[in-house]
Amino acid sequence: MGPKLGVAPYDAIAPIFSERFKSSYKITRIIQDVLFMAGALAFGGPVGFATIIVAFFTGPLITWWNEHISDPLVEFINHLTRPDTRNKVTVLLSAMGRRTYESVAKTYEATEIMQARLGRYSNSDLKTQQKIARRNLANSKQTYENYLAQYKMIEEELNKRKNQ
């Protein structure tokens, strides 16, 4: 850390020790942080209230994050990519297609209603409707780009499988 090489070596100590000695990461990280804090105190380094808090809570916080966020997310992604769940992905894509159809149908219906009422809108109403339409256009553009990206990913996967 002194030569401005970052903290990755420091952060790697606890996972390496806990894996090699089959100990709890949380406890290993607390011991590591307290030892480094004691070293800083011994050599006149700055140790404040935040240093003490970080020394005792970094390990538990990282452990909680891994157990409740990172590990379940990785497991979910792994589950979606297993061969036995690809049919479920197809069902998901089909549901997305239905939602898209429903969205287009509702937009068409709203356009018909607006067309029927257009002559009755005041100038203020027209400006409000124009703002809403502009916002919907921006949202639709983003939605289109997202669906286009999905389509390209599916197309690439199909081509990859065809070439195997």
Side-chain angles (χ1 to χ4, degrees), residues 134-153:
R134 189 177 305 122
R135 185 183 65 230
N136 288 341
L137 279 169
N139 291 342
S140 295
K141 181 181 178 193
Q142 184 62 51
T143 300
Y144 171 78
E145 290 170 358
N146 290 340
Y147 280 124
L148 185 60
Q150 290 174 15
Y151 178 83
K152 287 179 180 179
M153 284 188 290

Side-chain angles (χ1 to χ4, degrees), residues 10-11 13-15 18 23-34 50-68 71:
Y10 169 80
D11 285 332
I13 294 170
S18 65
S23 62
S24 161
Y25 172 81
K26 179 173 33 177
I27 301 301
T28 305
R29 181 63 190 243
I30 291 172
I31 292 169
Q32 169 192 319
D33 289 343
V34 168
T51 307
I52 296 167
I53 297 296
V54 167
F56 286 99
F57 291 103
T58 300
L61 181 62
I62 291 172
T63 300
W64 182 90
W65 184 267
N66 284 341
E67 289 173 357
H68 293 89
D71 293 343

Side-chain angles (χ1 to χ4, degrees), residues 89-105:
V89 174
T90 304
V91 169
L92 176 66
L93 291 174
S94 175
M96 289 170 58
R98 277 193 304 278
R99 262 201 335 246
T100 302
Y101 170 77
E102 290 167 4
S103 175
V104 169

Side-chain angles (χ1 to χ4, degrees), residues 120-130:
R120 291 181 269 172
Y121 285 141
S122 68
N123 285 349
S124 176
D125 291 337
L126 287 172
K127 288 180 182 180
T128 300
Q129 291 299 322
Q130 189 177 33

